[in-house]
mmCIF file of all heavy atoms in Angstrom:
data_model
loop_
_atom_site.group_PDB
_atom_site.id
_atom_site.type_symbol
_atom_site.label_atom_id
_atom_site.label_comp_id
_atom_site.label_asym_id
_atom_site.label_seq_id
_atom_site.Cartn_x
_atom_site.Cartn_y
_atom_site.Cartn_z
ATOM 1 N N ILE R 768 -7.204 -14.074 -13.274
ATOM 2 C CA ILE R 768 -6.941 -12.779 -12.625
ATOM 3 C C ILE R 768 -8.119 -12.345 -11.769
ATOM 4 O O ILE R 768 -7.942 -12.035 -10.577
ATOM 5 C CB ILE R 768 -6.580 -11.711 -13.678
ATOM 6 C CG1 ILE R 768 -5.238 -12.076 -14.341
ATOM 7 C CG2 ILE R 768 -6.491 -10.329 -13.030
ATOM 8 C CD1 ILE R 768 -4.841 -11.159 -15.482
ATOM 9 N N ALA R 824 -1.656 -14.127 -19.561
ATOM 10 C CA ALA R 824 -2.258 -12.821 -19.289
ATOM 11 C C ALA R 824 -1.663 -12.206 -18.027
ATOM 12 O O ALA R 824 -1.428 -10.992 -17.971
ATOM 13 C CB ALA R 824 -3.777 -12.966 -19.143
ATOM 14 N N MET R 825 -1.414 -13.018 -17.018
ATOM 15 C CA MET R 825 -0.806 -12.521 -15.783
ATOM 16 C C MET R 825 0.613 -12.025 -16.043
ATOM 17 O O MET R 825 1.016 -10.967 -15.538
ATOM 18 C CB MET R 825 -0.790 -13.621 -14.718
ATOM 19 C CG MET R 825 -2.173 -13.989 -14.201
ATOM 20 S SD MET R 825 -2.180 -15.504 -13.200
ATOM 21 C CE MET R 825 -1.123 -14.995 -11.830
ATOM 22 N N ARG R 826 1.372 -12.773 -16.832
ATOM 23 C CA ARG R 826 2.746 -12.354 -17.152
ATOM 24 C C ARG R 826 2.748 -11.078 -17.986
ATOM 25 O O ARG R 826 3.570 -10.185 -17.769
ATOM 26 C CB ARG R 826 3.483 -13.482 -17.886
ATOM 27 C CG ARG R 826 3.807 -14.681 -17.001
ATOM 28 C CD ARG R 826 4.772 -15.633 -17.680
ATOM 29 N NE ARG R 826 4.152 -16.288 -18.815
ATOM 30 C CZ ARG R 826 3.520 -17.452 -18.755
ATOM 31 N NH1 ARG R 826 3.399 -18.083 -17.584
ATOM 32 N NH2 ARG R 826 2.980 -18.003 -19.817
ATOM 33 N N PHE R 827 1.793 -10.979 -18.910
ATOM 34 C CA PHE R 827 1.704 -9.776 -19.734
ATOM 35 C C PHE R 827 1.314 -8.568 -18.895
ATOM 36 O O PHE R 827 1.834 -7.467 -19.075
ATOM 37 C CB PHE R 827 0.690 -9.989 -20.855
ATOM 38 C CG PHE R 827 0.495 -8.785 -21.739
ATOM 39 C CD1 PHE R 827 1.464 -8.427 -22.674
ATOM 40 C CD2 PHE R 827 -0.652 -8.004 -21.638
ATOM 41 C CE1 PHE R 827 1.292 -7.305 -23.490
ATOM 42 C CE2 PHE R 827 -0.827 -6.890 -22.454
ATOM 43 C CZ PHE R 827 0.143 -6.550 -23.372
ATOM 44 N N LEU R 828 0.390 -8.789 -17.933
ATOM 45 C CA LEU R 828 -0.067 -7.691 -17.082
ATOM 46 C C LEU R 828 1.059 -7.158 -16.208
ATOM 47 O O LEU R 828 1.137 -5.961 -15.940
ATOM 48 C CB LEU R 828 -1.220 -8.168 -16.197
ATOM 49 C CG LEU R 828 -1.985 -7.096 -15.401
ATOM 50 C CD1 LEU R 828 -2.737 -6.178 -16.343
ATOM 51 C CD2 LEU R 828 -2.952 -7.760 -14.423
ATOM 52 N N ALA R 829 1.969 -8.039 -15.805
ATOM 53 C CA ALA R 829 3.043 -7.640 -14.902
ATOM 54 C C ALA R 829 4.294 -7.173 -15.624
ATOM 55 O O ALA R 829 4.976 -6.241 -15.167
ATOM 56 C CB ALA R 829 3.395 -8.792 -13.967
ATOM 57 N N THR R 830 4.622 -7.796 -16.739
ATOM 58 C CA THR R 830 5.918 -7.529 -17.381
ATOM 59 C C THR R 830 5.820 -7.082 -18.828
ATOM 60 O O THR R 830 6.836 -6.695 -19.414
ATOM 61 C CB THR R 830 6.807 -8.786 -17.322
ATOM 62 O OG1 THR R 830 6.181 -9.849 -18.067
ATOM 63 C CG2 THR R 830 7.008 -9.254 -15.883
ATOM 64 N N ASN R 839 3.604 -2.658 -18.214
ATOM 65 C CA ASN R 839 2.181 -2.723 -17.892
ATOM 66 C C ASN R 839 1.916 -2.627 -16.396
ATOM 67 O O ASN R 839 0.874 -2.113 -15.972
ATOM 68 C CB ASN R 839 1.579 -4.019 -18.439
ATOM 69 C CG ASN R 839 1.377 -3.974 -19.944
ATOM 70 O OD1 ASN R 839 1.348 -2.897 -20.543
ATOM 71 N ND2 ASN R 839 1.251 -5.132 -20.567
ATOM 72 N N GLY R 840 2.859 -3.147 -15.592
ATOM 73 C CA GLY R 840 2.689 -3.047 -14.144
ATOM 74 C C GLY R 840 2.547 -1.600 -13.700
ATOM 75 O O GLY R 840 1.750 -1.285 -12.808
ATOM 76 N N VAL R 843 -0.884 -0.393 -14.620
ATOM 77 C CA VAL R 843 -1.885 -0.886 -13.671
ATOM 78 C C VAL R 843 -1.891 -0.008 -12.428
ATOM 79 O O VAL R 843 -2.953 0.393 -11.934
ATOM 80 C CB VAL R 843 -1.606 -2.354 -13.301
ATOM 81 C CG1 VAL R 843 -2.528 -2.797 -12.161
ATOM 82 C CG2 VAL R 843 -1.793 -3.255 -14.497
ATOM 83 N N LEU R 898 -4.625 -8.276 -5.992
ATOM 84 C CA LEU R 898 -4.155 -7.821 -7.297
ATOM 85 C C LEU R 898 -2.635 -7.680 -7.291
ATOM 86 O O LEU R 898 -1.960 -8.053 -8.261
ATOM 87 C CB LEU R 898 -4.806 -6.490 -7.666
ATOM 88 C CG LEU R 898 -4.310 -5.813 -8.951
ATOM 89 C CD1 LEU R 898 -4.477 -6.729 -10.159
ATOM 90 C CD2 LEU R 898 -5.031 -4.490 -9.183
ATOM 91 N N LEU R 902 0.027 -9.666 -9.740
ATOM 92 C CA LEU R 902 1.125 -9.032 -10.471
ATOM 93 C C LEU R 902 2.462 -9.664 -10.110
ATOM 94 O O LEU R 902 3.306 -9.904 -10.991
ATOM 95 C CB LEU R 902 1.153 -7.536 -10.163
ATOM 96 C CG LEU R 902 -0.015 -6.701 -10.691
ATOM 97 C CD1 LEU R 902 0.070 -5.273 -10.159
ATOM 98 C CD2 LEU R 902 -0.036 -6.695 -12.218
#
Side-chain angles (χ1 to χ4, degrees):
I768 294 175
M825 291 168 63
R826 290 192 292 268
F827 178 74
L828 190 66
T830 63
N839 285 341
V843 172
L898 174 57
L902 292 173

